[in-house]
Amino acid sequence: MSQLGMLIIVSAPSGTGKNAVIKELIKKDTNIFYSVSATTRDPRNKEENGVNYFFVSRDEFEKMIINKQLIEWDEFVNNYYGTPKKFIEDMTKKGKDVILEITVEGAVNVKEMWPEAVMIYLLPPSMDELKKRITNRNTECVDSINERMKSAGSELHYVNDYEYVVVNDNLAYAVDQVLEIVHAERLKTIRNKNIVNKLIRRKK
Ligand code: 5GP
């Protein structure tokens, strides 16, 4: 049997630019697939259902929880966000790596279920720059910007739960750093037991 694909968890304060990093990452490494989350928040300008998120009502989301269709879920700035289970199971069984872009709480929950998941925290170069990025993208009202900044401050205390930190100052450099992490993680002995076992069997 081939090795299971790995889960790559990326968290970052809202506005750090994780979407841009993930988009580039997926272009550069075709074995990585993006896990599209379900959310009750409204779509932003160019967001598409099924591509950026599955946009659902609160009722639909609560049904997904009851039917155990999510591997984790969380509430963020008055909306639900959750990771569909089936996609992750199907892809990892095929040896594909799946990237999850989720809150710190969601990340800790996934890590409990999948101890071999790789946890990467993406940092903004500064809190001033973060506020500038959230404000400049023109997608949030003032209340939401303030809530997101508040949440960014408290999320930073969880960085120690992550195995890696990458500062997103320069997009190309941040993408390369994440790729280096992924490539090194793929070489871990624990992920390559089948290769070793095959050699051991042949030797006998
Ligand atoms: P946004 O509204 O900016 O797209 O996302 C808000 C927050 O929800 C971000 O921190 C994002 O990483 C997180 N998020 C998106 N999808 C999920 C998910 O499926 N589960 C969890 N726990 N958080 C998510």
Side-chain angles (χ1 to χ4, degrees):
M1 200 192 106
S2 65
Q3 282 301 105
L4 282 183
M6 66 182 171
L7 292 190
I8 307 157
I9 303 171
V10 175
S11 304
S14 177
T16 304
K18 51 188 179 303
N19 287 339
V21 171
I22 291 172
K23 212 166 142 192
E24 286 305 307
L25 188 73
I26 288 170
K27 268 194 227 159
K28 288 196 162 186
D29 189 318
T30 53
N31 199 55
I32 305 177
F33 293 81
Y34 180 64
S35 159
V36 179
S37 297
T39 184
T40 56
R41 88 148 160 72
D42 291 332
R44 292 187 191 128
N45 312 339
K46 288 182 184 156
E47 285 182 333
E48 284 177 57
N49 191 32
V51 176
N52 304 92
Y53 280 106
F54 294 108
F55 296 100
V56 298
S57 65
R58 286 188 88 84
D59 270 3
E60 285 169 318
F61 196 98
E62 281 162 7
K63 271 192 199 126
M64 292 174 91
I65 298 174
I66 293 166
N67 294 333
K68 299 195 177 355
Q69 288 169 280
L70 303 172
I71 65 159
E72 65 73 39
W73 61 274
D74 196 3
E75 266 191 289
F76 181 85
V77 191
N78 307 321
N79 278 300
Y80 285 136
Y81 293 82
T83 306
K85 194 196 284 181
K86 190 170 183 320
F87 181 77
I88 286 186
E89 288 180 348
D90 290 352
M91 296 307 267
T92 53
K93 267 184 209 151
K94 288 184 204 158
K96 310 289 182 196
D97 300 326
V98 180
I99 194 156
L100 276 60
E101 190 236 290
I102 59 180
T103 56
V104 285
E105 202 150 317
V108 171
N109 290 338
V110 173
K111 184 76 176 175
E112 263 174 34
M113 288 178 274
W114 295 66
E116 285 149 30
V118 184
M119 293 173 81
I120 304 172
Y121 201 88
L122 213 57
L123 289 167
S126 69
M127 293 311 260
D128 284 345
E129 175 63 22
L130 184 69
K131 185 152 191 188
K132 212 176 347 163
R133 289 183 191 174
I134 305 183
T135 310
N136 287 352
R137 74 183 185 196
N138 274 327
T139 53
E140 315 295 326
C141 62
V142 176
D143 280 353
S144 175
I145 292 173
N146 291 336
E147 277 292 310
R148 280 166 188 264
M149 284 304 293
K150 210 165 91 189
S151 167
S154 49
E155 268 185 33
L156 288 175
H157 296 290
Y158 292 89
V159 171
N160 289 335
D161 289 333
Y162 287 71
E163 287 135 347
Y164 300 95
V165 284
V166 171
V167 177
N168 185 20
D169 195 358
N170 171 291
L171 177 64
Y173 187 57
V175 172
D176 282 346
Q177 287 190 317
V178 176
L179 269 179
E180 282 175 22
I181 295 168
V182 170
H183 292 164
E185 283 285 337
R186 282 191 186 135
L187 298 177
K188 275 195 168 166
T189 317
I190 195 154
R191 301 190 205 281
N192 290 286
K193 283 191 174 153
N194 61 341
I195 300 175
V196 180
N197 288 343
K198 220 172 3 180
L199 289 174
I200 293 172
R201 275 201 302 275
R202 258 205 206 138
K203 206 175 148 232
K204 280 181 190 165

